[in-house]
Amino acid sequence: MSEGASYPKGLLPVEVALERLIALARARLPATEVVSLTAAAERVLAEDMRAGMAVPPEANSAMDGIAFCHADVPASGTLPLSQRIAAGHAPAPLQRGTAARIFTGAILPAGADTVAMQENCEFNGDHVHLRQVPGLGANVRPAGQDIALGSTVLTRGQRLSAPALGLLASLGITTVSVYRRLRVAILSTGDELLEPGEPWRSAAIYNSNRPMLTALLHGWGLEVIDLGRVADTQAATEAALQRALDAGADVMVSSGGVSVGDEDHVKAAVLARGRLDFWKIALKPGKPVAVGEVSGVPFIGLPGNPQSVWVTALLLARPFLLARQGQQEVLPAAFPLPVAFSREKPGDRCEYLRVRRTHAGLLPHSQQSSGALASAVWADGLAVVAAGQSLRPADVVDFLPFCTLLAP
Ligand code: AMP
Ligand code: MG
C-alpha cells in the first residue's frame, strides 16, 4: 500500500495505520492458561482444536419412526417389528426383513439404512405398514455429519462463542488453552477534568472519556486498570505510567495531551521511559494519535475530545487491543448502504460520520463536532466517507455498525 498517496501533508491513511498497529500488536501475545469450557466463554483460543472423535459418533435417527433396510421393503409395504430402540440404548443388529421401532437420537441398528417418520406409519400389533417409502438413507444422521474425525474444528485466535463451546463439548472436551485476559491501563489527562460527584467549578469539565473507555474495554473482554485523571505535568504523567507498570499493564491507553501544545505532557513523559511516534492519521474526527512504548509496554495516546476518543478507540484501539489479545479477526466487516443526504464539500481526510440506519438510507446526526458526544449516543454506526468524496442521496458508502465495534 502506498503511504499517504492521495493524502496531503503526510497524513497516514487509516488502512496503513491499522496495518502497522496490528503488526505491532502481534509482536507479542499474552501468556496462555488452561480453563474449563464454562470459564472459556468469549475468551480467545490459544491452540488449534482437532476432533478426537466423529460427531455424531454413530449413525442415528433424526425422527421418531421405524428403521429398516431400504432394499428389504416388500411390495405390500408391511414389515414385522423386531425391536424397540430408544435414545441412549444400544440396539441389536436388525433381523433381515424386519423393521425396528426407533426414536429421535437412537442409534441405527446394523443392517438398517433408512428411517420412516411415524406420521407415515400404521402400527398394527407387531407389524408396521409404510404408507410411503422414503428414499434410501432418509432421516438418518450419519456418523460424522457435524464433525469428521481428525478435522480441525477451531483455530488459534478464534473467540470462543456459545456455539463454539457447544461444539467442543460435543467432542467430549473439558478444558481449553486460552490467552490470559489483556490488562489495559487507562489514563485521562487534563487539568480541566473533574470526576462526576465533584462539585463543578469554572474552567472545569467532567471526565467523560474515563467511563466511556472503561465500558468499551470491558465490552471487548479486557481487564481495565483505571489510573484515573492525570494532571498536565510531566511528573504526574510519568508517575501514572509507573503505576501502570507496577500494576502489570499489558498496554497503556491515554486520552488527551497528545497534540503538540505546551500543555501536552504525554510526549515528554513517555519519551523519558521509551519511545513515541506521533501519527497524523487521515481520519476525522481524531487525527492525532500517538503510538509507542513505555519500558516495553505498548502505549497508545488517543486524542482528548470525547468524540475523537470514541471514533479512534473503535477504529484503531479496538483492532490493536484485540490483536494483542491474540484474536485473529480484528477488522470489522463494513456493509455498503445508500445515504439519504448530500455532502458537497469533500474533505482531505476520511470521515467517519455518526449515522443512523433508516429505510430511506443513512442519516447523519446534525452535530458532527469532535467535542460533542450526543451524536454517538443517537447513531447506530459510522458511515465512512472517503477523502475527496462528495455525496448525493442514494450514493453508497461503507457502514460500520456500532454493535460490531462494541463487541470483541
Ligand atoms: P487535549 O488533546 O488534551 O488538548 O484535549 C482536547 C480536548 O478534549 C479539550 O477540549 C479537552 O478539554 C477535552 N478533553 C480531554 N480529555 C477529556 C476527558 N477525559 N473528558 C472530556 N473531555 C476531555
Ligand atoms: Mg489536555
Side-chain angles (χ1 to χ4, degrees), residues 37 52-55 147 165-175:
L37 275 198
M53 61 188 282
V55 178
I147 304 171
L165 295 174
L167 197 77
L168 293 176
S170 75
L171 290 165
I173 288 168
T174 54
T175 59

Side-chain angles (χ1 to χ4, degrees), residues 189 192-193 205-209 255-257 259 264 304-306:
T189 73
E192 70 279 36
L193 299 181
I205 56 168
Y206 285 110
N207 183 354
S208 41
N209 292 337
S255 74
S259 325
D264 296 322
N305 278 310

